[in-house]
């Protein structure tokens, strides 16, 4: 395509909107987004939080040490009623007496170590499984971000191309207006012909303004997706590469994060069911206690006495009957497992549909690209012949301008189809799970 280079160069120039030193290609934009995008940053923080949750669960298997203290100053020591016969009184009578001293200080330290706890062991495994789930969720967010950046970038390319095409048409229309006006002055054309061209010019100017607004919106969206502040400039290279993507093969590997997420959720759900069942088993813990009780009284007959105590033991906890609460929880988990099975089947069908649709779209756009390439070749041939005829004086300038517009239109269709082909390739990568390297 001999004349396509000048049109491509026109596409690269957007007055007041793009710098000559454009820097960000699509790959660079994706790399920037995978580092700075807010959703990606939040997902990474979730991974860090998951590690903290794993550490919390593991802490339950380590010794626990508790220190308690209790100080009491009795204004009036509580009394007790005892038989008077204890102190030699008559049978059948009772006396109120108060035991103890007004100052009491009790300190106790207890260390406990779980020896047998099925729920704790299963919870540790579930916490480790959640690490993989969190990593998969981050991967899914990265894939979504990469897809959104790519789709926005391709829309930006198409918009830039349309603006360049309309500006070129506007230039041609202005030339036609001048030529037609001269012909009108020479009574070779009518005033209404000039009016029609003026209407076409105004329509092109309106479309350009609308597309410029769309361009700005897409550029701002790219800033948001890449984590670039809206007040900063973002230079994007919107040149359309003419390299043709490779068609999807009949053999491919499905590496969808959606399926892996559901598989991981099923694994965690299975561990949660085991954890509920483990609630039927008893727990055993060893413990040791060191206790100190100080009793004192002030005044002339002051007295202080410390009574220490030490002991160790085993503690058994067994919830023999909980009102069928565990059975109800287990039933809920089994229903959740069935729902995950349904979601897996649904996701597989959706993936199969996405793969079929994206392949079909790619093949259609590939055929359209071949057809449009032929149209460009034909338009170039007509344009060349029209120029020769103009030099020979067999056609006027209007025919030359129309042939030039037809060539430009064919080139625009070719580049639009090329962008559509890359979008179809993007959908194929999303369908097969090959958007982002793992």
């Amino acid at each position: 395509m001999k004349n396509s280079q000048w049109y491509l160069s026109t596409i690269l120039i957007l007055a007041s909107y793009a710098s000559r030193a454009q820097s960000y290609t699509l790959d660079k934009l994706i790399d920037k987004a995978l580092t700075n995008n807010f959703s990606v940053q939040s997902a990474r923080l979730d991974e860090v939080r998951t590690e903290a949750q794993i550490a919390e669960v593991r802490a339950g298997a380590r010794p626990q040490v508790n220190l308690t203290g209790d100080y009491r100053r009795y204004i009036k020591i509580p009394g007790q009623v005892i038989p008077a016969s204890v102190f030699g009184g008559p049978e059948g009578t009772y006396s109120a007496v108060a035991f103890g001293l007004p100052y009491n200080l009790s300190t106790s330290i207890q260390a406990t170590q779980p020896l047998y706890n099925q729920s704790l062991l299963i919870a540790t495994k579930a916490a480790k499984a959640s690490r993989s789930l969190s990593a998969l969720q981050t991967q899914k967010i990265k894939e979504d971000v990469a897809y959104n950046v790519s789709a926005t970038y391709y829309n930006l390319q198409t918009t830039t191309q349309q603006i360049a095409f309309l500006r070129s048409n506007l230039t041609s229309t202005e030339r036609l207006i001048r030529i037609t006006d001269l012909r009108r002055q020479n009574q070779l054309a009518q005033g209404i012909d000039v009016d029609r061209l003026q209407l076409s010019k105004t329509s092109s100017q309106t479309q350009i303004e609308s597309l410029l607004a769309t361009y700005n919106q897409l550029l701002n969206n790219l800033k948001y997706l890449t984590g670039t502040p809206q007040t900063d400039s973002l230079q994007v290279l919107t040149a359309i590469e003419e390299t043709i993507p490779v068609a999807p093969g009949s053999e491919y590997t499905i590496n969808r994060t959606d399926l892996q997420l559901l598989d991981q959720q099923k694994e965690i759900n299975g561990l949660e069911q085991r954890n509920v069942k483990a609630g039927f088993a008893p727990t055993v813990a060893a413990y040791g206690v060191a206790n100190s009780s100080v009793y004192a009284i002030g005044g002339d007959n002051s007295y202080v006495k410390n009574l220490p105590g030490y002991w160790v033991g085993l503690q058994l906890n067994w919830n023999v009957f909980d009102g069928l609460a565990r059975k109800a929880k287990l039933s809920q988990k089994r229903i959740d497992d069935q729902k995950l099975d349904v979601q897996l089947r649904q996701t597989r069908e959706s993936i199969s549909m996405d793969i079929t649709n994206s392949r079909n779209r790619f093949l259609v756009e590939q055929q359209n690209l071949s057809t449009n390439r032929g149209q460009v070749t034909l338009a170039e041939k007509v344009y060349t012949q029209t120029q020769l005829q103009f030099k020979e004086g067999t056609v006027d300038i209007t025919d030359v301008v129309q042939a030039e517009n037809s060539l430009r239109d064919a080139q625009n269709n070719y580049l639009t189809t090329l962008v559509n082909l890359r979008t179809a390739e993007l959908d194929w990568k999303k369908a097969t799970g090959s958007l982002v390297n793992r």
Side-chain angles (χ1 to χ4, degrees), residues 151 245 285 303 345:
Y303 176 79
R345 293 196 299 271

Side-chain angles (χ1 to χ4, degrees), residues 266-333:
K266 276 185 67 66
E267 180 182 345
I268 293 175
N269 184 267
L271 290 170
E272 289 175 348
Q273 289 186 52
R274 290 176 55 191
N275 196 16
V276 174
K277 294 177 181 178
F280 289 97
T283 62
V284 180
Y287 69 94
V289 179
N291 183 70
S292 173
S293 298
V294 178
Y295 302 94
I297 189 172
D300 296 336
N301 298 321
S302 62
Y303 176 79
V304 178
K305 182 63 176 179
N306 178 28
L307 300 176
Y310 312 96
W311 64 92
V312 295
L314 292 175
Q315 187 176 48
L316 172 69
N317 287 316
W318 192 357
N319 188 351
V320 179
F321 182 72
D322 63 352
L324 302 178
R326 283 189 293 263
K327 181 180 179 181
K329 289 181 182 178
L330 190 59
S331 177
Q332 294 175 49
K333 294 300 178 184

Side-chain angles (χ1 to χ4, degrees), residues 346-357:
Q346 180 184 19
T347 303
R348 289 192 181 100
E349 284 298 318
S350 175
I351 290 173
S352 178
M353 178 187 67
D354 291 342
I355 289 175
T356 301
N357 290 343

Side-chain angles (χ1 to χ4, degrees), residues 68-121:
T68 60
D70 182 23
Y71 169 75
R72 297 182 184 182
R73 168 66 171 92
Y74 287 111
I75 306 301
K76 178 175 177 62
I77 299 174
Q80 295 182 359
V81 176
I82 61 174
S85 60
V86 173
F87 300 101
E91 291 289 342
T93 61
Y94 299 89
S95 299
V97 295
F99 296 102
L101 299 178
Y103 298 101
N104 285 199
L105 175 63
S106 176
T107 306
S108 178
I109 184 169
Q110 177 173 327
T112 305
Q113 172 62 55
L115 298 179
Y116 178 79
N117 191 328
Q118 281 277 23
S119 294
L120 185 59
L121 295 174

Side-chain angles (χ1 to χ4, degrees), residues 34 138-148 255-258 430 433-436 438:
L34 295 183
T138 300
Q139 177 68 19
K140 182 67 170 65
I141 290 174
K142 286 182 177 180
E143 291 172 355
D144 291 342
V145 168
Y147 180 85
N148 291 334
N255 195 25
R256 286 284 292 264
T257 307
D258 313 61
K430 180 181 179 181
S434 56
L435 265 177
V436 178
R438 298 174 184 270

Side-chain angles (χ1 to χ4, degrees), residues 317-384:
N317 287 316
W318 192 357
N319 188 351
V320 179
F321 182 72
D322 63 352
L324 302 178
R326 283 189 293 263
K327 181 180 179 181
K329 289 181 182 178
L330 190 59
S331 177
Q332 294 175 49
K333 294 300 178 184
R334 286 170 178 164
I335 294 173
D336 290 341
D337 196 60
Q338 292 173 7
K339 287 179 61 178
L340 287 171
D341 287 335
V342 173
Q343 291 175 21
L344 272 170
R345 293 196 299 271
Q346 180 184 19
T347 303
R348 289 192 181 100
E349 284 298 318
S350 175
I351 290 173
S352 178
M353 178 187 67
D354 291 342
I355 289 175
T356 301
N357 290 343
S358 60
R359 182 196 284 112
N360 291 341
R361 183 186 176 193
F362 188 96
L363 296 176
V364 169
E365 295 297 344
Q366 191 177 49
Q367 181 63 38
N368 290 342
L369 188 69
S370 177
T371 301
N372 289 333
R373 189 189 296 113
Q375 291 294 100
V376 171
T377 303
L378 181 60
E380 286 176 343
K381 181 180 178 181
V382 171
Y383 180 66
T384 302

